[in-house]
Amino acid sequence: MSVGAPLLLGVIADDFTGATDVASMLVRAGLRTVQTLGVPAEGAALPPAQAVVVALKSRTCPAAEAVADSLAAARWLRARGARQIYFKVCSTFDSTPAGNIGPVAEALMAELGAAQAIACPAFPENGRTVFRGHLFVADQLLSDSGMREHPLTPMGDANLVRVLQAQTAQRVGLLRYDSVAQGPDATRERLSALQREGVALVIADAIGNDDLRTLGEAVADAPLLVAGSGVALGLPPAYARRGWLQPDAQAAALGLAGGRAALLSGSCSQATNAQVARWIAAGQPALAIDPRALARGEPVAAQALAWALAQAGTPLVYATAEPAALKAVQAELGAARAGALVEQALAQVACGLVAAGVQRLVVAGGETSGAVVQALDVPLLRIGAPICPGVPWTRAEAQPGRALLLALKSGNFGGPDFFAEALAASEAGA
């Protein structure tokens, strides 16, 4: 197997859209990056890369399973020479009191012999900032945002020190903004002081990109960091200052191509609801699938596929719903069952679309994206330039000699016109 020399960074992402999110940030900073879907089999060949992002589906699975999968990814990456391991979590710190961020972070620290690791989900370009240990989504505390109604990981507390401490036996502390604002040296000194006090996991404040660059410089030598995608912006420059990296201006070159396109959406986030509404308001073809009909065993996926293939324009097949409608379905079917039914149906539609010749797929929602790429049996993605912060076009080989372009979007990312912008970006690169 070849990943190029040296492999500077190994990233373990807890969902598929989060993986493309962090990979996009690394490519943007000049680091040649590839993304694998799960831990590759022994002997699998990868293109030359300076960073490898292993995408897992471990955000909402049982904590023990998340730990096992993350350790397997870490061992695979370390065996291939990764200098540093980056546990990529959601920019809204999605979790429950039982995990999975705390348990996975603990296990990775033990595996890597790390006495301390920062934890920073900040991504200011997407409105995620951390101040005095509290996570903000735009101008709202996390606990006041739409994340308080997330169907799987409702976030009712914005205090990340408290959130993370509930998940771990390690002591959690805070690296405050006033230390970060003084630069990398002051940041390192404060981290050392916290370590002497017995603090192993450190929530780090960050309200702008300069803070992310400071953190990247301060922790570039650490064996482990826990972060959203934002901190990745600061790592390549830090690596370059150490002489490890010559940034590649062509790192994001994909060779995008046109071709038939389709949109799939399983996310029920506020952002994706707005995107679906904008697409429909523009008079574009859109079809909602009904989880209740899926539960009754009706051939919903086959009907949706037939409808999509009959459209002259770009079709959108969606299960996106407003909070009240979502709660009603979950109350009737159960949250886990409703989600699984939708993911399976959209994955079936995706497979049918690709088999029929669709070459560009936009998928909204982390769980939906995971289900789609697994059903398509995509082992590897090459990462291209961003459509918007955190969402790039990616390139997979769906069949020998035939490219498939995928845009895997976290539910909370993108503006109202994201779908149209994604299609325009792929056409511009054709």
PDB file of all heavy atoms in Angstrom, residues 90-94 120-124 127-145 147 155 157-161 163 203-206:
ATOM      1  N   CYS A  90     -18.160  16.354  15.656  1.00  0.00           N
ATOM      2  CA  CYS A  90     -19.044  17.331  15.043  1.00  0.00           C
ATOM      3  C   CYS A  90     -18.827  18.726  15.622  1.00  0.00           C
ATOM      4  O   CYS A  90     -18.508  18.884  16.799  1.00  0.00           O
ATOM      5  CB  CYS A  90     -20.502  16.907  15.244  1.00  0.00           C
ATOM      6  SG  CYS A  90     -21.677  17.954  14.358  1.00  0.00           S
ATOM      7  N   SER A  91     -19.037  19.747  14.780  1.00  0.00           N
ATOM      8  CA  SER A  91     -18.870  21.126  15.245  1.00  0.00           C
ATOM      9  C   SER A  91     -19.948  21.531  16.242  1.00  0.00           C
ATOM     10  O   SER A  91     -19.843  22.596  16.860  1.00  0.00           O
ATOM     11  CB  SER A  91     -18.882  22.094  14.061  1.00  0.00           C
ATOM     12  OG  SER A  91     -20.139  22.078  13.415  1.00  0.00           O
ATOM     13  N   THR A  92     -20.969  20.706  16.411  1.00  0.00           N
ATOM     14  CA  THR A  92     -21.946  20.942  17.475  1.00  0.00           C
ATOM     15  C   THR A  92     -21.774  19.927  18.617  1.00  0.00           C
ATOM     16  O   THR A  92     -22.653  19.794  19.460  1.00  0.00           O
ATOM     17  CB  THR A  92     -23.388  20.913  16.932  1.00  0.00           C
ATOM     18  OG1 THR A  92     -23.562  19.777  16.095  1.00  0.00           O
ATOM     19  CG2 THR A  92     -23.686  22.169  16.130  1.00  0.00           C
ATOM     20  N   PHE A  93     -20.635  19.221  18.625  1.00  0.00           N
ATOM     21  CA  PHE A  93     -20.243  18.343  19.726  1.00  0.00           C
ATOM     22  C   PHE A  93     -21.323  17.304  20.022  1.00  0.00           C
ATOM     23  O   PHE A  93     -21.581  16.947  21.169  1.00  0.00           O
ATOM     24  CB  PHE A  93     -19.941  19.161  20.992  1.00  0.00           C
ATOM     25  CG  PHE A  93     -18.742  18.676  21.755  1.00  0.00           C
ATOM     26  CD1 PHE A  93     -17.488  18.710  21.191  1.00  0.00           C
ATOM     27  CD2 PHE A  93     -18.865  18.205  23.051  1.00  0.00           C
ATOM     28  CE1 PHE A  93     -16.364  18.283  21.895  1.00  0.00           C
ATOM     29  CE2 PHE A  93     -17.741  17.767  23.773  1.00  0.00           C
ATOM     30  CZ  PHE A  93     -16.496  17.811  23.186  1.00  0.00           C
ATOM     31  N   ASP A  94     -21.947  16.804  18.957  1.00  0.00           N
ATOM     32  CA  ASP A  94     -23.058  15.858  19.100  1.00  0.00           C
ATOM     33  C   ASP A  94     -22.662  14.669  19.961  1.00  0.00           C
ATOM     34  O   ASP A  94     -21.707  13.962  19.651  1.00  0.00           O
ATOM     35  CB  ASP A  94     -23.475  15.307  17.735  1.00  0.00           C
ATOM     36  CG  ASP A  94     -24.202  16.333  16.896  1.00  0.00           C
ATOM     37  OD1 ASP A  94     -24.029  17.520  17.146  1.00  0.00           O
ATOM     38  OD2 ASP A  94     -24.944  15.922  15.989  1.00  0.00           O
ATOM     39  N   CYS A 120     -11.781  20.843  20.725  1.00  0.00           N
ATOM     40  CA  CYS A 120     -12.256  22.136  20.234  1.00  0.00           C
ATOM     41  C   CYS A 120     -13.094  21.952  18.977  1.00  0.00           C
ATOM     42  O   CYS A 120     -12.549  21.718  17.895  1.00  0.00           O
ATOM     43  CB  CYS A 120     -11.077  23.063  19.932  1.00  0.00           C
ATOM     44  SG  CYS A 120     -11.598  24.690  19.328  1.00  0.00           S
ATOM     45  N   PRO A 121     -14.418  22.044  19.072  1.00  0.00           N
ATOM     46  CA  PRO A 121     -15.269  21.891  17.894  1.00  0.00           C
ATOM     47  C   PRO A 121     -15.466  23.163  17.079  1.00  0.00           C
ATOM     48  O   PRO A 121     -16.234  23.158  16.116  1.00  0.00           O
ATOM     49  CB  PRO A 121     -16.595  21.432  18.502  1.00  0.00           C
ATOM     50  CG  PRO A 121     -16.640  22.141  19.816  1.00  0.00           C
ATOM     51  CD  PRO A 121     -15.212  22.158  20.307  1.00  0.00           C
ATOM     52  N   ALA A 122     -14.790  24.247  17.426  1.00  0.00           N
ATOM     53  CA  ALA A 122     -15.049  25.531  16.775  1.00  0.00           C
ATOM     54  C   ALA A 122     -14.819  25.479  15.267  1.00  0.00           C
ATOM     55  O   ALA A 122     -13.858  24.883  14.789  1.00  0.00           O
ATOM     56  CB  ALA A 122     -14.160  26.615  17.390  1.00  0.00           C
ATOM     57  N   PHE A 123     -15.706  26.136  14.533  1.00  0.00           N
ATOM     58  CA  PHE A 123     -15.606  26.295  13.081  1.00  0.00           C
ATOM     59  C   PHE A 123     -16.256  27.641  12.769  1.00  0.00           C
ATOM     60  O   PHE A 123     -17.404  27.708  12.315  1.00  0.00           O
ATOM     61  CB  PHE A 123     -16.324  25.148  12.384  1.00  0.00           C
ATOM     62  CG  PHE A 123     -16.081  25.040  10.903  1.00  0.00           C
ATOM     63  CD1 PHE A 123     -16.666  24.018  10.169  1.00  0.00           C
ATOM     64  CD2 PHE A 123     -15.281  25.942  10.215  1.00  0.00           C
ATOM     65  CE1 PHE A 123     -16.459  23.892   8.805  1.00  0.00           C
ATOM     66  CE2 PHE A 123     -15.056  25.836   8.851  1.00  0.00           C
ATOM     67  CZ  PHE A 123     -15.658  24.800   8.151  1.00  0.00           C
ATOM     68  N   PRO A 124     -15.546  28.751  13.006  1.00  0.00           N
ATOM     69  CA  PRO A 124     -16.166  30.074  12.900  1.00  0.00           C
ATOM     70  C   PRO A 124     -16.801  30.369  11.553  1.00  0.00           C
ATOM     71  O   PRO A 124     -17.815  31.067  11.489  1.00  0.00           O
ATOM     72  CB  PRO A 124     -14.987  31.020  13.186  1.00  0.00           C
ATOM     73  CG  PRO A 124     -14.070  30.215  14.052  1.00  0.00           C
ATOM     74  CD  PRO A 124     -14.172  28.815  13.526  1.00  0.00           C
ATOM     75  N   GLY A 127     -20.173  29.475  11.732  1.00  0.00           N
ATOM     76  CA  GLY A 127     -20.908  30.006  12.873  1.00  0.00           C
ATOM     77  C   GLY A 127     -20.741  29.234  14.166  1.00  0.00           C
ATOM     78  O   GLY A 127     -21.509  29.447  15.108  1.00  0.00           O
ATOM     79  N   ARG A 128     -19.755  28.329  14.235  1.00  0.00           N
ATOM     80  CA  ARG A 128     -19.512  27.565  15.474  1.00  0.00           C
ATOM     81  C   ARG A 128     -18.317  28.172  16.185  1.00  0.00           C
ATOM     82  O   ARG A 128     -17.188  28.124  15.674  1.00  0.00           O
ATOM     83  CB  ARG A 128     -19.206  26.108  15.196  1.00  0.00           C
ATOM     84  CG  ARG A 128     -20.229  25.173  14.634  1.00  0.00           C
ATOM     85  CD  ARG A 128     -21.530  25.687  14.242  1.00  0.00           C
ATOM     86  NE  ARG A 128     -22.324  24.619  13.622  1.00  0.00           N
ATOM     87  CZ  ARG A 128     -23.205  24.843  12.678  1.00  0.00           C
ATOM     88  NH1 ARG A 128     -23.402  26.070  12.221  1.00  0.00           N
ATOM     89  NH2 ARG A 128     -23.905  23.854  12.177  1.00  0.00           N
ATOM     90  N   THR A 129     -18.547  28.764  17.344  1.00  0.00           N
ATOM     91  CA  THR A 129     -17.478  29.357  18.126  1.00  0.00           C
ATOM     92  C   THR A 129     -17.572  28.869  19.568  1.00  0.00           C
ATOM     93  O   THR A 129     -18.651  28.501  20.052  1.00  0.00           O
ATOM     94  CB  THR A 129     -17.547  30.898  18.099  1.00  0.00           C
ATOM     95  OG1 THR A 129     -18.844  31.316  18.531  1.00  0.00           O
ATOM     96  CG2 THR A 129     -17.289  31.432  16.702  1.00  0.00           C
ATOM     97  N   VAL A 130     -16.423  28.874  20.246  1.00  0.00           N
ATOM     98  CA  VAL A 130     -16.372  28.468  21.651  1.00  0.00           C
ATOM     99  C   VAL A 130     -15.769  29.621  22.447  1.00  0.00           C
ATOM    100  O   VAL A 130     -14.664  30.093  22.144  1.00  0.00           O
ATOM    101  CB  VAL A 130     -15.515  27.188  21.844  1.00  0.00           C
ATOM    102  CG1 VAL A 130     -15.534  26.768  23.312  1.00  0.00           C
ATOM    103  CG2 VAL A 130     -16.028  26.052  20.956  1.00  0.00           C
ATOM    104  N   PHE A 131     -16.498  30.080  23.458  1.00  0.00           N
ATOM    105  CA  PHE A 131     -16.036  31.180  24.318  1.00  0.00           C
ATOM    106  C   PHE A 131     -16.363  30.843  25.764  1.00  0.00           C
ATOM    107  O   PHE A 131     -17.495  30.496  26.083  1.00  0.00           O
ATOM    108  CB  PHE A 131     -16.702  32.495  23.915  1.00  0.00           C
ATOM    109  CG  PHE A 131     -16.196  33.677  24.685  1.00  0.00           C
ATOM    110  CD1 PHE A 131     -14.910  34.164  24.470  1.00  0.00           C
ATOM    111  CD2 PHE A 131     -16.986  34.300  25.632  1.00  0.00           C
ATOM    112  CE1 PHE A 131     -14.433  35.247  25.184  1.00  0.00           C
ATOM    113  CE2 PHE A 131     -16.527  35.386  26.345  1.00  0.00           C
ATOM    114  CZ  PHE A 131     -15.243  35.864  26.129  1.00  0.00           C
ATOM    115  N   ARG A 132     -15.329  30.932  26.604  1.00  0.00           N
ATOM    116  CA  ARG A 132     -15.456  30.548  28.015  1.00  0.00           C
ATOM    117  C   ARG A 132     -16.048  29.151  28.157  1.00  0.00           C
ATOM    118  O   ARG A 132     -16.827  28.872  29.075  1.00  0.00           O
ATOM    119  CB  ARG A 132     -16.288  31.575  28.791  1.00  0.00           C
ATOM    120  CG  ARG A 132     -15.680  32.989  28.801  1.00  0.00           C
ATOM    121  CD  ARG A 132     -14.368  33.033  29.565  1.00  0.00           C
ATOM    122  NE  ARG A 132     -13.723  34.329  29.520  1.00  0.00           N
ATOM    123  CZ  ARG A 132     -13.500  35.121  30.583  1.00  0.00           C
ATOM    124  NH1 ARG A 132     -13.875  34.718  31.777  1.00  0.00           N
ATOM    125  NH2 ARG A 132     -12.887  36.264  30.448  1.00  0.00           N
ATOM    126  N   GLY A 133     -15.678  28.302  27.210  1.00  0.00           N
ATOM    127  CA  GLY A 133     -16.111  26.916  27.279  1.00  0.00           C
ATOM    128  C   GLY A 133     -17.512  26.651  26.775  1.00  0.00           C
ATOM    129  O   GLY A 133     -17.958  25.501  26.773  1.00  0.00           O
ATOM    130  N   HIS A 134     -18.210  27.673  26.316  1.00  0.00           N
ATOM    131  CA  HIS A 134     -19.581  27.524  25.834  1.00  0.00           C
ATOM    132  C   HIS A 134     -19.607  27.561  24.311  1.00  0.00           C
ATOM    133  O   HIS A 134     -18.973  28.414  23.690  1.00  0.00           O
ATOM    134  CB  HIS A 134     -20.482  28.627  26.388  1.00  0.00           C
ATOM    135  CG  HIS A 134     -20.761  28.494  27.855  1.00  0.00           C
ATOM    136  ND1 HIS A 134     -19.800  28.718  28.817  1.00  0.00           N
ATOM    137  CD2 HIS A 134     -21.892  28.126  28.522  1.00  0.00           C
ATOM    138  CE1 HIS A 134     -20.326  28.508  30.022  1.00  0.00           C
ATOM    139  NE2 HIS A 134     -21.585  28.149  29.863  1.00  0.00           N
ATOM    140  N   LEU A 135     -20.346  26.632  23.709  1.00  0.00           N
ATOM    141  CA  LEU A 135     -20.428  26.529  22.256  1.00  0.00           C
ATOM    142  C   LEU A 135     -21.609  27.341  21.749  1.00  0.00           C
ATOM    143  O   LEU A 135     -22.737  27.191  22.228  1.00  0.00           O
ATOM    144  CB  LEU A 135     -20.580  25.059  21.854  1.00  0.00           C
ATOM    145  CG  LEU A 135     -20.702  24.750  20.360  1.00  0.00           C
ATOM    146  CD1 LEU A 135     -19.540  25.322  19.565  1.00  0.00           C
ATOM    147  CD2 LEU A 135     -20.798  23.241  20.152  1.00  0.00           C
ATOM    148  N   PHE A 136     -21.312  28.190  20.778  1.00  0.00           N
ATOM    149  CA  PHE A 136     -22.327  29.014  20.134  1.00  0.00           C
ATOM    150  C   PHE A 136     -22.552  28.535  18.711  1.00  0.00           C
ATOM    151  O   PHE A 136     -21.605  28.152  18.012  1.00  0.00           O
ATOM    152  CB  PHE A 136     -21.897  30.482  20.096  1.00  0.00           C
ATOM    153  CG  PHE A 136     -21.943  31.166  21.437  1.00  0.00           C
ATOM    154  CD1 PHE A 136     -20.918  30.997  22.357  1.00  0.00           C
ATOM    155  CD2 PHE A 136     -23.012  31.981  21.777  1.00  0.00           C
ATOM    156  CE1 PHE A 136     -20.953  31.629  23.594  1.00  0.00           C
ATOM    157  CE2 PHE A 136     -23.058  32.612  23.013  1.00  0.00           C
ATOM    158  CZ  PHE A 136     -22.028  32.431  23.928  1.00  0.00           C
ATOM    159  N   VAL A 137     -23.800  28.552  18.259  1.00  0.00           N
ATOM    160  CA  VAL A 137     -24.182  28.339  16.865  1.00  0.00           C
ATOM    161  C   VAL A 137     -24.699  29.673  16.368  1.00  0.00           C
ATOM    162  O   VAL A 137     -25.784  30.114  16.773  1.00  0.00           O
ATOM    163  CB  VAL A 137     -25.244  27.231  16.737  1.00  0.00           C
ATOM    164  CG1 VAL A 137     -25.675  27.073  15.290  1.00  0.00           C
ATOM    165  CG2 VAL A 137     -24.708  25.914  17.281  1.00  0.00           C
ATOM    166  N   ALA A 138     -23.887  30.342  15.556  1.00  0.00           N
ATOM    167  CA  ALA A 138     -24.148  31.735  15.188  1.00  0.00           C
ATOM    168  C   ALA A 138     -24.248  32.556  16.487  1.00  0.00           C
ATOM    169  O   ALA A 138     -23.332  32.525  17.293  1.00  0.00           O
ATOM    170  CB  ALA A 138     -25.378  31.844  14.307  1.00  0.00           C
ATOM    171  N   ASP A 139     -25.365  33.229  16.698  1.00  0.00           N
ATOM    172  CA  ASP A 139     -25.493  34.080  17.889  1.00  0.00           C
ATOM    173  C   ASP A 139     -26.203  33.388  19.048  1.00  0.00           C
ATOM    174  O   ASP A 139     -26.490  34.029  20.063  1.00  0.00           O
ATOM    175  CB  ASP A 139     -26.257  35.363  17.532  1.00  0.00           C
ATOM    176  CG  ASP A 139     -25.490  36.238  16.553  1.00  0.00           C
ATOM    177  OD1 ASP A 139     -24.246  36.255  16.628  1.00  0.00           O
ATOM    178  OD2 ASP A 139     -26.135  36.877  15.697  1.00  0.00           O
ATOM    179  N   GLN A 140     -26.479  32.113  18.901  1.00  0.00           N
ATOM    180  CA  GLN A 140     -27.200  31.385  19.940  1.00  0.00           C
ATOM    181  C   GLN A 140     -26.279  30.403  20.659  1.00  0.00           C
ATOM    182  O   GLN A 140     -25.391  29.805  20.052  1.00  0.00           O
ATOM    183  CB  GLN A 140     -28.354  30.582  19.327  1.00  0.00           C
ATOM    184  CG  GLN A 140     -29.464  31.402  18.727  1.00  0.00           C
ATOM    185  CD  GLN A 140     -30.558  30.498  18.174  1.00  0.00           C
ATOM    186  OE1 GLN A 140     -30.284  29.585  17.412  1.00  0.00           O
ATOM    187  NE2 GLN A 140     -31.801  30.754  18.570  1.00  0.00           N
ATOM    188  N   LEU A 141     -26.526  30.251  21.943  1.00  0.00           N
ATOM    189  CA  LEU A 141     -25.913  29.131  22.630  1.00  0.00           C
ATOM    190  C   LEU A 141     -26.398  27.829  21.989  1.00  0.00           C
ATOM    191  O   LEU A 141     -27.531  27.739  21.504  1.00  0.00           O
ATOM    192  CB  LEU A 141     -26.284  29.143  24.110  1.00  0.00           C
ATOM    193  CG  LEU A 141     -25.572  30.177  24.988  1.00  0.00           C
ATOM    194  CD1 LEU A 141     -26.287  30.299  26.330  1.00  0.00           C
ATOM    195  CD2 LEU A 141     -24.106  29.785  25.207  1.00  0.00           C
ATOM    196  N   LEU A 142     -25.534  26.828  21.987  1.00  0.00           N
ATOM    197  CA  LEU A 142     -25.899  25.532  21.419  1.00  0.00           C
ATOM    198  C   LEU A 142     -27.245  25.049  21.955  1.00  0.00           C
ATOM    199  O   LEU A 142     -28.085  24.540  21.207  1.00  0.00           O
ATOM    200  CB  LEU A 142     -24.811  24.514  21.747  1.00  0.00           C
ATOM    201  CG  LEU A 142     -25.069  23.067  21.340  1.00  0.00           C
ATOM    202  CD1 LEU A 142     -25.080  22.923  19.825  1.00  0.00           C
ATOM    203  CD2 LEU A 142     -24.027  22.142  21.964  1.00  0.00           C
ATOM    204  N   SER A 143     -27.458  25.236  23.233  1.00  0.00           N
ATOM    205  CA  SER A 143     -28.673  24.744  23.880  1.00  0.00           C
ATOM    206  C   SER A 143     -29.916  25.512  23.473  1.00  0.00           C
ATOM    207  O   SER A 143     -31.044  25.061  23.728  1.00  0.00           O
ATOM    208  CB  SER A 143     -28.513  24.815  25.399  1.00  0.00           C
ATOM    209  OG  SER A 143     -28.053  26.103  25.795  1.00  0.00           O
ATOM    210  N   ASP A 144     -29.753  26.662  22.822  1.00  0.00           N
ATOM    211  CA  ASP A 144     -30.887  27.437  22.317  1.00  0.00           C
ATOM    212  C   ASP A 144     -31.081  27.254  20.816  1.00  0.00           C
ATOM    213  O   ASP A 144     -32.042  27.775  20.250  1.00  0.00           O
ATOM    214  CB  ASP A 144     -30.688  28.929  22.605  1.00  0.00           C
ATOM    215  CG  ASP A 144     -30.713  29.246  24.086  1.00  0.00           C
ATOM    216  OD1 ASP A 144     -31.401  28.517  24.830  1.00  0.00           O
ATOM    217  OD2 ASP A 144     -30.041  30.203  24.502  1.00  0.00           O
ATOM    218  N   SER A 145     -30.186  26.528  20.170  1.00  0.00           N
ATOM    219  CA  SER A 145     -30.234  26.359  18.724  1.00  0.00           C
ATOM    220  C   SER A 145     -31.116  25.172  18.351  1.00  0.00           C
ATOM    221  O   SER A 145     -31.649  24.462  19.208  1.00  0.00           O
ATOM    222  CB  SER A 145     -28.817  26.125  18.190  1.00  0.00           C
ATOM    223  OG  SER A 145     -28.381  24.796  18.503  1.00  0.00           O
ATOM    224  N   MET A 147     -30.197  22.410  17.531  1.00  0.00           N
ATOM    225  CA  MET A 147     -29.619  21.163  18.019  1.00  0.00           C
ATOM    226  C   MET A 147     -30.295  20.658  19.286  1.00  0.00           C
ATOM    227  O   MET A 147     -30.166  19.486  19.633  1.00  0.00           O
ATOM    228  CB  MET A 147     -28.121  21.343  18.276  1.00  0.00           C
ATOM    229  CG  MET A 147     -27.280  21.364  17.010  1.00  0.00           C
ATOM    230  SD  MET A 147     -27.492  19.866  16.006  1.00  0.00           S
ATOM    231  CE  MET A 147     -26.920  18.618  17.142  1.00  0.00           C
ATOM    232  N   MET A 155     -28.859  18.376  22.066  1.00  0.00           N
ATOM    233  CA  MET A 155     -27.837  19.061  22.851  1.00  0.00           C
ATOM    234  C   MET A 155     -28.490  20.160  23.686  1.00  0.00           C
ATOM    235  O   MET A 155     -28.740  21.261  23.208  1.00  0.00           O
ATOM    236  CB  MET A 155     -26.750  19.621  21.933  1.00  0.00           C
ATOM    237  CG  MET A 155     -26.021  18.561  21.114  1.00  0.00           C
ATOM    238  SD  MET A 155     -25.198  17.321  22.147  1.00  0.00           S
ATOM    239  CE  MET A 155     -23.922  18.311  22.906  1.00  0.00           C
ATOM    240  N   ASP A 157     -27.183  21.416  26.565  1.00  0.00           N
ATOM    241  CA  ASP A 157     -26.215  22.110  27.408  1.00  0.00           C
ATOM    242  C   ASP A 157     -25.118  22.652  26.520  1.00  0.00           C
ATOM    243  O   ASP A 157     -24.489  21.907  25.760  1.00  0.00           O
ATOM    244  CB  ASP A 157     -25.636  21.150  28.449  1.00  0.00           C
ATOM    245  CG  ASP A 157     -24.823  21.858  29.528  1.00  0.00           C
ATOM    246  OD1 ASP A 157     -24.588  23.086  29.400  1.00  0.00           O
ATOM    247  OD2 ASP A 157     -24.408  21.185  30.497  1.00  0.00           O
ATOM    248  N   ALA A 158     -24.841  23.962  26.594  1.00  0.00           N
ATOM    249  CA  ALA A 158     -23.789  24.589  25.790  1.00  0.00           C
ATOM    250  C   ALA A 158     -22.441  24.587  26.482  1.00  0.00           C
ATOM    251  O   ALA A 158     -21.432  24.931  25.857  1.00  0.00           O
ATOM    252  CB  ALA A 158     -24.194  26.029  25.453  1.00  0.00           C
ATOM    253  N   ASN A 159     -22.387  24.216  27.761  1.00  0.00           N
ATOM    254  CA  ASN A 159     -21.136  24.214  28.518  1.00  0.00           C
ATOM    255  C   ASN A 159     -20.370  22.934  28.186  1.00  0.00           C
ATOM    256  O   ASN A 159     -20.673  21.857  28.710  1.00  0.00           O
ATOM    257  CB  ASN A 159     -21.437  24.301  30.015  1.00  0.00           C
ATOM    258  CG  ASN A 159     -20.184  24.417  30.858  1.00  0.00           C
ATOM    259  OD1 ASN A 159     -19.154  23.815  30.557  1.00  0.00           O
ATOM    260  ND2 ASN A 159     -20.265  25.196  31.933  1.00  0.00           N
ATOM    261  N   LEU A 160     -19.359  23.033  27.331  1.00  0.00           N
ATOM    262  CA  LEU A 160     -18.679  21.840  26.842  1.00  0.00           C
ATOM    263  C   LEU A 160     -17.828  21.168  27.906  1.00  0.00           C
ATOM    264  O   LEU A 160     -17.610  19.948  27.840  1.00  0.00           O
ATOM    265  CB  LEU A 160     -17.827  22.180  25.625  1.00  0.00           C
ATOM    266  CG  LEU A 160     -18.579  22.723  24.410  1.00  0.00           C
ATOM    267  CD1 LEU A 160     -17.638  22.812  23.209  1.00  0.00           C
ATOM    268  CD2 LEU A 160     -19.789  21.866  24.077  1.00  0.00           C
ATOM    269  N   VAL A 161     -17.333  21.928  28.858  1.00  0.00           N
ATOM    270  CA  VAL A 161     -16.600  21.302  29.964  1.00  0.00           C
ATOM    271  C   VAL A 161     -17.530  20.355  30.710  1.00  0.00           C
ATOM    272  O   VAL A 161     -17.179  19.209  31.014  1.00  0.00           O
ATOM    273  CB  VAL A 161     -16.020  22.365  30.917  1.00  0.00           C
ATOM    274  CG1 VAL A 161     -15.380  21.706  32.136  1.00  0.00           C
ATOM    275  CG2 VAL A 161     -14.988  23.235  30.186  1.00  0.00           C
ATOM    276  N   VAL A 163     -20.381  19.049  29.511  1.00  0.00           N
ATOM    277  CA  VAL A 163     -20.808  17.976  28.606  1.00  0.00           C
ATOM    278  C   VAL A 163     -19.762  16.872  28.545  1.00  0.00           C
ATOM    279  O   VAL A 163     -20.071  15.680  28.669  1.00  0.00           O
ATOM    280  CB  VAL A 163     -21.086  18.541  27.199  1.00  0.00           C
ATOM    281  CG1 VAL A 163     -21.252  17.414  26.184  1.00  0.00           C
ATOM    282  CG2 VAL A 163     -22.335  19.417  27.206  1.00  0.00           C
ATOM    283  N   ILE A 203     -11.055  21.653  26.921  1.00  0.00           N
ATOM    284  CA  ILE A 203     -11.904  22.399  25.994  1.00  0.00           C
ATOM    285  C   ILE A 203     -11.184  23.705  25.670  1.00  0.00           C
ATOM    286  O   ILE A 203     -10.788  24.451  26.565  1.00  0.00           O
ATOM    287  CB  ILE A 203     -13.283  22.698  26.600  1.00  0.00           C
ATOM    288  CG1 ILE A 203     -14.035  21.397  26.909  1.00  0.00           C
ATOM    289  CG2 ILE A 203     -14.104  23.601  25.675  1.00  0.00           C
ATOM    290  CD1 ILE A 203     -14.389  20.565  25.698  1.00  0.00           C
ATOM    291  N   ALA A 204     -11.001  23.971  24.362  1.00  0.00           N
ATOM    292  CA  ALA A 204     -10.255  25.161  23.942  1.00  0.00           C
ATOM    293  C   ALA A 204     -11.199  26.182  23.318  1.00  0.00           C
ATOM    294  O   ALA A 204     -11.991  25.853  22.427  1.00  0.00           O
ATOM    295  CB  ALA A 204      -9.181  24.771  22.941  1.00  0.00           C
ATOM    296  N   ASP A 205     -11.119  27.420  23.798  1.00  0.00           N
ATOM    297  CA  ASP A 205     -11.874  28.512  23.200  1.00  0.00           C
ATOM    298  C   ASP A 205     -11.308  28.853  21.825  1.00  0.00           C
ATOM    299  O   ASP A 205     -10.091  28.784  21.596  1.00  0.00           O
ATOM    300  CB  ASP A 205     -11.774  29.764  24.072  1.00  0.00           C
ATOM    301  CG  ASP A 205     -12.710  29.764  25.267  1.00  0.00           C
ATOM    302  OD1 ASP A 205     -13.529  28.833  25.383  1.00  0.00           O
ATOM    303  OD2 ASP A 205     -12.611  30.701  26.086  1.00  0.00           O
ATOM    304  N   ALA A 206     -12.179  29.259  20.919  1.00  0.00           N
ATOM    305  CA  ALA A 206     -11.768  29.767  19.608  1.00  0.00           C
ATOM    306  C   ALA A 206     -12.947  30.502  19.004  1.00  0.00           C
ATOM    307  O   ALA A 206     -14.043  29.940  18.904  1.00  0.00           O
ATOM    308  CB  ALA A 206     -11.322  28.638  18.680  1.00  0.00           C
TER     309      ALA A 206
END
